[in-house]
């Protein structure tokens, strides 16, 4: 059994508040970080609407939909494990986290396959056989790679956290009942999902021909 | 707490997931069936709505303490400022040619 209270806190409620405030400040910095990329997308989309529309038509809508389904379901299973944590249901916590881990791994697997397909179709900015000649199309794919890869890195970090949490909760090596650990992991995962909720329409839907 | 109370939590998560999946389906169908500004507005509106569900139902922003709520509010406000200032410049600029003069010569 691990100790819940850590220095410099004198009571657990203050420690929980600090943990929650800390993750929210971190999430705020993440919003600004991804916000810059979304802003870049918006400006270039405004400048090169035709190039962006033609480039977007090259992305694989089916795989985008599959990944969105996986991620939306993972949001729900993550929330389920946080609620189960409040109710001190250890088995449901582990079940929810395990489902989230599986769905998240599924997402990264599908994304990896999509990347393979994209490279196979020369959808890489600067490639001599890049299939769309309209100006702005390569900019779309620069943003596509940057945004999805950064999102993927965030997902991989989240999956690592979830995997570690499953082991720690199962082995009672974490004071998950007293601390805000589950809530913190849940908030991080839900923000990563939220980023995809906006990436999906911008990279697969809006202006599709 | 007893294990039998797991069912309401699972039901709640399943219903919220179903609502979000239906919203996503609306978004995809709107792009395939609609033209013009509606094909842009509907997917973006659905994204905002889905993100709101995640923020309120899953992240429980409304239940967070004041410091956390201020952090979330400041992030959204700064994002708004970032977009407002950038587009105030972008929309009022003289036309920028798609390529530099003399390029390719």
């Amino acid at each position: 059994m691990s100790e819940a209270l850590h220095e410099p806190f004198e009571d657990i409620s203050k420690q929980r508040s600090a943990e929650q405030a800390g993750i929210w400040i971190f999430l705020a910095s993440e919003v600004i970080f991804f916000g810059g990329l979304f802003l870049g997308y918006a400006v270039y989309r405004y400048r090169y609407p035709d190039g962006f529309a033609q480039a977007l038509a090259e992305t694989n809508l089916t795989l985008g939909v599959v990944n969105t389904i996986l991620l939306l379901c993972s949001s729900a299973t993550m929330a389920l494990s946080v609620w189960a944590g409040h109710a001190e249901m250890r088995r449901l916590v582990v079940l929810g986290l395990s489902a989230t881990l599986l769905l998240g791994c599924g997402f990264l697997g599908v994304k990896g396959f999509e990347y393979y397909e994209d490279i196979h179709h020369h959808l890489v900015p600067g490639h001599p056989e890049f299939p769309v000649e309209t100006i702005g199309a390569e900019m779309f794919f620069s943003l596509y790679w940057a945004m999805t890869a950064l999102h993927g890195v965030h997902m991989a970090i989240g999956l690592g956290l979830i995997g570690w949490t499953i082991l720690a909760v199962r082995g009672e090596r974490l004071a998950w009942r007293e601390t805000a650990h589950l809530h913190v992991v849940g908030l991080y995962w839900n923000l990563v999902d939220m980023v995809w909720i906006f990436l999906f329409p911008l990279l697969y839907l809006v202006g599709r021909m | 707490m007893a294990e039998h109370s797991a069912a309401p939590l699972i039901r709640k998560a399943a219903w919220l997931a179903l609502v979000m999946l239906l919203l996503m389906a609306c978004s995809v169908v709107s792009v395939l069936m609609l033209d013009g500004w509606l094909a842009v507005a509907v997917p973006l509106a659905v994204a905002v709505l889905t993100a709101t569900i995640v923020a309120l139902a899953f992240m429980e922003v409304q239940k967070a303490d004041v410091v956390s709520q201020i952090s979330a509010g400041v992030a959204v406000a700064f994002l708004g400022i970032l977009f407002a200032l950038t587009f105030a410049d972008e929309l009022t600029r003289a036309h920028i040619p798609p390529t530099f003069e003399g390029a390719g010569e």
Side-chain angles (χ1 to χ4, degrees):
Chain A
M1 190 68 126
S2 69
E3 194 68 40
L5 189 64
H6 298 287
E7 284 187 25
F9 300 101
E10 288 171 357
D11 70 81
I12 199 74
S13 65
K14 282 184 183 163
Q15 182 178 305
R16 282 182 68 94
S17 293
E19 286 169 343
Q20 288 175 19
I23 186 67
W24 273 107
I25 291 167
F26 171 72
L27 295 185
S29 74
E30 289 283 275
V31 168
I32 304 293
F33 174 66
F34 276 104
L37 285 166
F38 281 108
L39 178 64
Y41 177 97
V43 168
Y44 282 107
R45 174 141 208 147
Y46 171 73
R47 281 196 191 176
Y48 308 115
D50 295 339
F52 266 57
Q54 286 178 31
L56 186 140
E58 299 289 326
T59 57
N60 191 325
L61 180 60
T62 309
L63 294 183
V65 168
V66 169
N67 262 348
T68 307
I69 292 170
L70 290 174
L71 220 52
L72 290 178
C73 290
S74 83
S75 251
T77 54
M78 186 73 234
L80 177 64
S81 66
V82 175
W83 298 333
H86 292 321
E88 302 193 2
M89 298 175 187
R90 190 164 72 101
R91 277 171 53 196
L92 193 56
V93 169
V94 173
L95 190 72
L97 289 174
S98 303
T100 309
L101 187 74
L102 277 177
L103 292 163
C105 287
F107 177 96
L108 287 185
V110 172
K111 197 72 215 160
F113 176 71
E114 193 180 354
Y115 278 166
Y116 166 79
E117 259 199 359
D118 292 338
I119 291 168
H120 186 68
H121 293 128
H122 314 303
L123 293 169
V124 182
H127 195 286
E129 292 173 51
F130 188 79
V132 188
E133 288 188 4
T134 317
I135 195 160
E138 288 191 75
M139 178 55 78
F140 172 89
F141 270 98
S142 295
L143 288 162
Y144 166 86
W145 285 98
M147 292 165 108
T148 55
L150 275 170
H151 177 260
V153 168
H154 279 77
M155 286 217 43
I157 293 168
L159 290 174
L161 270 172
I162 291 168
W164 180 83
T165 305
I166 291 170
L167 294 176
V169 170
R170 279 177 63 126
E172 288 291 351
R173 286 185 282 111
L174 177 75
W176 58 275
R177 293 175 186 85
E178 299 86 359
T179 64
H181 181 88
L182 285 176
H183 190 57
V184 165
V185 174
L187 285 174
Y188 175 82
W189 189 258
N190 283 317
L191 185 89
V192 173
D193 286 356
M194 209 185 267
V195 170
W196 183 261
I197 286 169
F198 287 100
L199 282 181
F200 173 62
L202 294 179
L203 299 178
Y204 295 88
L205 293 180
V206 172
R208 195 167 192 96
M209 293 185 285
Chain B
M1 190 159 296
E3 287 288 324
H4 67 260
S5 57
L9 297 182
I10 295 171
R11 250 199 317 273
K12 183 179 167 188
W15 272 111
L16 286 166
L18 186 67
V19 169
M20 293 195 300
L21 291 175
L22 287 174
L23 281 170
M24 186 209 63
C26 288
S27 183
V28 174
V29 169
S30 74
V31 167
L32 299 177
M33 297 188 73
L34 299 173
D35 279 327
W37 68 272
L38 273 175
V40 175
V42 173
L44 292 180
V46 165
V48 171
L49 198 56
T50 312
T52 306
I53 291 174
V54 171
L56 295 179
F58 295 161
M59 299 173 89
E60 298 179 335
V61 181
Q62 73 282 12
K63 291 183 188 168
D65 58 25
V66 178
V67 178
S68 304
Q69 285 182 342
I70 289 173
S71 302
V74 166
V76 175
F78 269 95
L79 206 57
I81 292 169
L82 198 66
F83 271 77
L85 289 179
T86 305
F87 273 93
D89 173 62
E90 184 66 27
L91 298 174
T92 53
R93 271 191 185 201
H95 174 69
I96 302 166
T99 54
F100 291 112
E101 220 170 289
E105 283 178 9

